[in-house]
Amino acid sequence: MLNLEFIDSEFTVEDFRLDSICFDNDTNSFVIIEYKLDKNHALTDQGYSYLNTMLNNKSKFILALSKKRNELLEEKDFNWRDSRVIFISQTFSKYQLNAYARDLPFELIRIKKYDSDNVLLDHITPKYKEAYKVGKSSSDTSINIKEELTKVTEDEHLSHLTDE
């Protein structure tokens, strides 16, 4: 339903158990999916924690996809900059919706199941174009991770193409 290649569920890495890991063939990047039964007030913390864990354990994600496809894949084969976390929940708090910006490596999807067993996935549109940025000090070690997660624009993708 999300146009993603499913890799594994309840994927354990370090101290975390990720609900699902998938692969986005369009962006050539990994996607972590977290399912929430109720409002959770720490989505951003959880999302960044999972992304940091993924970027520090790339080999585990590559190995999982390699095993699923039965082919040898390497770190250079992937676009780590467009990796993201999708949160699927019945509800999101007003704070989560207000903090959600287009440039964050997260997606929020509201799910609703009807009596007819039909399911609606409502992709929530971010309220803001960009998240508020706080100045970074030269000693901030999160700079490398933030730069690695910077979204690639369509123009950047197209700049690598030739007329052929």
Side-chain angles (χ1 to χ4, degrees):
M1 290 190 294
L2 298 174
N3 198 29
L4 299 171
E5 179 182 351
F6 176 79
I7 301 171
D8 201 359
S9 63
E10 297 190 12
F11 185 75
T12 302
V13 58
E14 290 186 6
D15 293 335
F16 302 107
R17 185 200 49 80
L18 312 179
D19 289 341
S20 294
I21 58 168
C22 300
F23 190 73
D24 186 335
N25 288 296
D26 292 336
T27 62
N28 201 37
S29 58
F30 287 95
V31 178
I32 298 168
I33 300 178
E34 279 300 305
Y35 309 98
K36 299 297 178 191
L37 293 176
D38 200 358
K39 288 182 187 174
N40 182 313
H41 295 288
L43 288 185
T44 305
D45 295 352
Q46 184 181 19
Y48 276 119
S49 180
Y50 284 2
L51 287 171
N52 286 337
T53 300
M54 179 186 65
L55 293 173
N56 286 298
N57 293 277
K58 292 176 182 176
S59 61
K60 292 185 180 202
F61 288 79
I62 296 167
L63 181 60
L65 183 59
S66 293
K67 283 182 178 179
K68 181 172 187 313
R69 290 183 176 176
N70 197 27
E71 65 179 291
L72 180 61
L73 301 167
E74 299 179 33
E75 185 177 330
K76 65 177 178 53
D77 296 330
F78 301 98
N79 168 16
W80 298 97
R81 293 174 64 182
D82 283 333
S83 295
R84 64 191 187 280
V85 177
I86 298 175
F87 293 100
I88 300 177
S89 179
Q90 294 176 8
T91 59
F92 293 100
S93 74
K94 67 180 180 180
Y95 299 103
Q96 292 163 341
L97 296 173
N98 191 58
Y100 184 38
R102 192 174 316 277
D103 68 336
L104 294 175
F106 308 125
E107 288 181 37
L108 303 181
I109 298 176
R110 190 176 291 119
I111 188 168
K112 181 168 181 161
K113 182 179 178 193
Y114 294 94
D115 291 337
S116 63
D117 286 338
N118 288 330
V119 174
L120 173 69
L121 295 179
D122 179 22
H123 294 258
I124 297 173
T125 303
K127 182 170 182 176
Y128 302 106
K129 180 179 176 186
E130 293 180 344
Y132 180 75
K133 304 271 189 295
V134 177
K136 298 175 187 165
S137 68
S138 58
S139 64
D140 187 355
T141 57
S142 67
I143 292 173
N144 292 338
I145 292 170
K146 177 63 179 162
E147 289 171 353
E148 192 158 14
L149 288 174
T150 302
K151 294 287 185 194
V152 179
T153 66
E154 183 179 35
D155 289 336
E156 288 175 303
H157 280 296
L158 294 175
S159 70
H160 299 292
L161 299 177
T162 64
D163 290 338
E164 295 175 54

